Amino acid sequence: MARRDIRAPFIPERDKDKTPILECVDLGIDFGGLTAVDDFNMTIGRTEIAGLIGPNGAGKTTVFNLLTRVYKPSRGKILLEGRDIESMNTIQVNKAGIARTFQNIRLFNELTVLENVLIGLHNEMNYNLLSAVLRMPHFWKDEKIAKNRALELLSLFGMEDLAGQKAGSLPYGAQRRLEIVRALATNPSLLLLDEPAAGMNPSETSELMENIRKVRDTFKIAILLIEHDMNLVMGICEGIVVLNYGKIIAKGTPEEVRNDPVVIEAYLGKKGDVPC
Amino acid sequence: MKKNYKKIPMPVRYAINFVLLLAFLLIVNALIENKVISRSNSIVVVSIGINIILAVSLNLATGYLGQLPLGHAGFMAVGAYSSAILVKNIGATWLTIPLGMVFGGLVAAIFGLIIGIPALRLKGDYLAIITLGFGEIIRVVLLNIDSVLGFKLTYGAASLKNIPKTTNFINTYIVVIITCFVIHTMMKSRHGRAILSIRENEIAAESCGIKTTYYKTLGFVVSAFFAGVAGSLLAGNLGLLNPQSFGFMKSIEILVMVVLGGMGSMAGSVISATVLTALPEVLRAFDTYRMVVYSLLLIIVMIFKPSGLMGKYDFSLSHLLEKLLNFKSSRGKKSEERGS
């Protein structure tokens, strides 16, 4: 089997004739003298579930931070639905359609589960401060729609019964799910999940896989996930990009990536290397 | 269980609260009119009201927004002076009194905006120091200038005197209610949730598409506005303004009220502002030990309830009524079941 060109775009067949949701062209960032990510080329189809994998410190989360404009890239550009996001900040990128979760969970711990999702729905409501203070009909209408929407999103993950609980008091797995729900509430077209299965047991992980697929099918959105759990990555991703030392070393379907000698070397070392 | 939970409809809730607030107003006002509450005590009642406004507005910036401004007395001074000058020069009528309050609030809000935009880029200690500096600047400037643009208005260290004494129980009470209502309704809306999300996790708030700079400034400006309004009430209560009374210690005093009541709890701010204003007066009998008792009380509360008297809990009469209602009906149901 021939290796795929790591600079060429790779998207699943069914998204071929649509504009890709995301295109990264020669993306790179330096922190001082250290090049964290370089020559990063990736294309994600409209409804693709894509995976970004690589050993620890490969630069995966840095890529997420570049996509959400937490960092400004030193080189290259990012196109979201064909539009350059260079002039945007984190908030505008979210409005343009990228939502994310965090590797170390960042929920609004002291607020309830429902309030967490309602904060995600912030920009879906448009009443102004005056109508909020005077409790105008517009306020009640928007709040009611938002609340129903929030409960609907929570029920997708079977969490509607937890709506009144404080987010910080939820068990770990539920907190991870809530973060996904909150990200979905911002109505994204591309969802970035940073290690969604971290700390989950196998049965929770397989449930999560089902949920990720369900999210993609219900909302018709693209999902890019970073994950170390290979069962999950190989199980649901259609396209995978492997990163090592900030550079893409392989790209392709799970099958291709799994058998790629370069990938195996990156993870396990070369045959004949002196073990230390 | 949740499905059978009886709820009180919104209009009824508002009606219950309105009737109770009106009843309280009429009762206390009657007590003052009939001299049951003496003249000197009624001044204490008014200053309780003013302190409630100050504590509730500072709670917006500290408890809800999660910042630590130490210049609340500065905003209060700005509001007090500007409204006092306005009312003094155009005369006190039923129209100019509220106008003076709004004017005092707006000037304070403008100062809040000017300070807030650079200060809110900083976090924690740095914001505290900037606002502390601002409060001191206001005090020193007021102490040293006696005229503005050639008009003799502020009188510097000699104090601004002969301000019409317009503040009474009724208008203080109304302003307290308006302050609490506005801040409460604001916090229970998408704008309030945005402010809370900044306190909880700013990075996550941004990733949810919340304009953090805008909402930080908004919280800060609204907080400054009500501090200004409280200042204008104070001017009308005392009839004279001296810059020295708006020093650093005044800001700390308000902060103590907020922390003691529980950061992020409006009910807590109201209770602790009431207690901490009334306590020194009540303890006047034990003159020498007054401040000792006051300080001890603070220490004891902080040791046994570090999150403040109320923590983040907010009292809601309607929720309490709902609970009672459901408690009764669930007991009724159980006895019915037993009967059958």
Side-chain angles (χ1 to χ4, degrees):
Chain A
M1 190 163 53
R3 288 197 77 228
R4 200 176 281 274
D5 177 10
I6 55 168
R7 292 185 61 85
F10 170 82
I11 36 179
E13 279 304 322
R14 65 168 186 286
D15 292 329
K16 272 269 154 61
D17 43 353
K18 295 176 212 148
T19 346
I21 190 74
L22 183 85
E23 270 179 279
C24 300
V25 186
D26 298 329
L27 199 61
I29 183 169
D30 305 328
F31 295 119
L34 179 86
T35 303
V37 174
D38 205 12
D39 287 331
F40 187 84
N41 286 282
M42 186 178 191
T43 311
I44 300 176
R46 276 287 153 148
T47 57
E48 181 180 350
I49 299 180
L52 183 59
I53 62 171
N56 288 330
K60 305 181 295 293
T61 301
T62 308
V63 170
F64 269 26
N65 284 336
L66 286 171
L67 295 180
T68 51
R69 302 289 295 176
V70 175
Y71 300 148
K72 307 255 175 292
S74 315
R75 294 172 292 283
K77 58 182 172 184
I78 303 162
L79 301 176
L80 182 67
E81 295 180 74
R83 211 150 48 102
D84 198 333
I85 64 167
E86 194 184 344
S87 61
M88 296 184 189
N89 61 25
T90 310
I91 300 156
Q92 288 160 332
V93 160
N94 177 272
K95 282 185 187 165
I98 300 183
R100 73 174 291 185
T101 67
F102 296 88
Q103 191 175 353
N104 44 344
I105 304 175
R106 289 178 187 272
L107 286 170
F108 308 123
N109 286 332
E110 291 287 329
L111 307 183
T112 65
V113 169
L114 183 67
E115 283 169 323
N116 268 270
V117 185
L118 286 174
I119 289 168
L121 288 164
H122 180 83
N123 290 320
E124 303 288 302
M125 297 176 255
N126 61 13
Y127 60 84
N128 59 27
L129 187 59
L130 193 69
S131 47
V133 168
L134 298 178
R135 291 295 194 247
M136 309 270 244
H138 192 181
F139 165 83
W140 294 114
K141 201 186 94 199
D142 273 18
E143 282 287 315
K144 196 174 175 192
I145 294 171
K147 195 182 167 192
N148 289 338
R149 176 94 184 117
L151 289 174
E152 198 182 304
L153 285 168
L154 283 170
S155 69
L156 203 69
F157 282 72
M159 292 177 73
E160 69 274 30
D161 292 336
L162 302 173
Q165 285 199 26
K166 274 193 180 172
S169 69
L170 294 181
Y172 195 77
Q175 291 198 358
R176 286 238 172 254
R177 291 203 299 271
L178 177 57
E179 241 199 342
I180 300 176
V181 174
R182 188 183 65 187
L184 278 173
T186 64
N187 194 16
S189 43
L190 172 65
L191 181 62
L192 309 178
L193 304 176
D194 200 342
E195 299 200 21
M200 286 190 178
N201 63 35
S203 79
E204 281 176 320
T205 306
S206 65
E207 201 185 308
L208 178 74
M209 281 165 71
E210 281 311 306
N211 281 329
I212 292 175
R213 256 196 220 105
K214 196 162 79 183
V215 164
R216 193 267 312 268
D217 295 339
T218 350
F219 298 98
K220 305 269 183 294
I221 59 174
I223 295 171
L224 172 62
L225 53 92
I226 292 175
E227 189 47 70
H228 285 295
D229 186 323
M230 285 307 142
N231 286 330
L232 186 142
V233 176
M234 299 298 166
I236 58 171
C237 292
E238 293 151 285
I240 294 176
V241 163
V242 191
L243 210 57
N244 197 18
Y245 295 116
K247 285 194 169 160
I248 294 179
I249 55 168
K251 202 186 241 178
T253 63
E255 201 54 35
E256 290 165 359
V257 166
R258 196 200 316 247
N259 300 319
D260 194 317
V262 187
V263 176
I264 294 167
E265 191 192 314
Y267 270 93
L268 301 175
K270 214 190 296 186
K271 213 173 180 182
D273 264 0
V274 186
C276 47
Chain B
M1 176 209 133
K2 278 271 172 195
K3 271 171 196 159
N4 303 326
Y5 198 80
K6 273 187 209 156
K7 280 202 159 174
I8 304 171
M10 269 300 163
V12 181
R13 287 183 178 207
Y14 284 122
I16 293 173
N17 284 326
F18 182 75
V19 169
L20 287 176
L21 290 172
L22 194 67
F24 185 78
L25 170 72
L26 294 176
I27 291 168
V28 177
N29 196 43
L31 291 179
I32 291 173
E33 299 255 299
N34 297 319
K35 304 274 183 330
V36 180
I37 296 176
S38 66
R39 172 93 187 89
S40 62
N41 279 345
S42 75
I43 291 177
V44 176
V45 173
V46 169
S47 56
I48 287 176
I50 294 171
N51 281 337
I52 289 177
I53 300 170
L54 287 169
V56 168
S57 62
L58 185 64
N59 183 38
L60 172 59
T62 40
Y64 295 138
L65 187 60
Q67 310 294 327
L68 185 64
L70 290 180
H72 217 54
F75 296 124
M76 190 185 169
V78 170
Y81 269 86
S82 43
S83 104
I85 290 165
L86 183 78
V87 175
K88 196 179 163 186
N89 286 301
I90 61 173
T93 63
W94 62 272
L95 185 68
T96 55
I97 298 167
L99 191 73
M101 288 179 200
V102 173
F103 181 69
L106 284 179
V107 175
I110 291 166
F111 273 82
L113 190 67
I114 296 169
I115 306 301
I117 289 172
L120 290 168
R121 289 170 167 270
L122 305 171
K123 285 191 178 81
D125 317 350
Y126 306 102
L127 180 92
I129 290 166
I130 280 209
T131 48
L132 176 79
F134 158 74
E136 285 302 286
I137 289 170
I138 294 288
R139 186 181 63 85
V140 172
V141 167
L142 285 174
L143 201 58
N144 287 297
I145 59 165
D146 47 12
S147 61
V148 180
L149 303 171
F151 297 100
K152 206 159 168 53
L153 291 174
T154 52
Y155 299 95
S159 310
L160 178 59
K161 288 173 193 139
N162 301 327
I163 305 162
K165 284 205 172 191
T166 52
T167 307
N168 56 24
F169 173 70
I170 295 180
N171 59 22
T172 311
Y173 185 77
I174 292 172
V175 176
V176 169
I177 300 303
I178 292 174
T179 308
C180 293
F181 181 79
V182 168
I183 293 180
H184 176 78
T185 48
M186 179 173 142
M187 291 316 294
K188 298 278 175 199
S189 74
R190 72 185 186 112
H191 307 284
R193 282 191 298 263
I195 287 174
L196 288 173
S197 76
I198 295 170
R199 175 190 78 191
E200 292 294 315
N201 197 321
E202 206 174 325
I203 296 172
E206 274 190 5
S207 84
C208 287
I210 287 176
K211 287 185 255 166
T212 48
T213 318
Y214 172 79
Y215 280 108
K216 268 198 217 169
T217 317
L218 178 75
F220 200 68
V221 167
V222 173
S223 167
F225 176 84
F226 285 110
V229 174
S232 62
L233 282 170
L234 183 81
N237 192 31
L238 300 177
L240 129 165
L241 289 175
N242 188 313
Q244 295 295 26
S245 57
F246 300 105
F248 172 57
M249 282 317 291
K250 182 68 191 169
S251 299
I252 295 295
E253 198 185 301
I254 307 164
L255 187 66
V256 166
M257 287 174 189
V258 175
V259 174
L260 188 83
M263 294 220 250
S265 165
M266 187 182 284
S269 295
V270 172
I271 292 169
S272 75
T274 312
V275 171
L276 292 185
T277 318
L279 198 64
E281 304 302 323
V282 174
L283 291 177
R284 247 177 226 292
F286 317 93
D287 210 17
T288 19
Y289 300 106
R290 195 156 71 104
M291 291 321 282
V292 178
V293 175
Y294 182 92
S295 323
L296 275 180
L297 181 88
L298 292 182
I299 293 171
I300 289 168
V301 171
M302 284 298 110
I303 288 174
F304 291 103
K305 195 101 187 354
S307 59
L309 285 172
M310 304 284 280
K312 282 195 170 63
Y313 173 78
D314 248 325
F315 175 75
S316 158
L317 185 71
S318 321
H319 283 173
L320 190 74
L321 284 177
E322 274 175 5
K323 266 189 190 152
L324 281 173
L325 218 70
N326 288 296
F327 181 65
K328 265 190 192 162
S329 66
S330 70
R331 259 180 47 180
K333 252 179 221 156
K334 266 179 200 160
S335 56
E336 267 170 38
E337 278 163 21
R338 253 182 248 134
S340 66

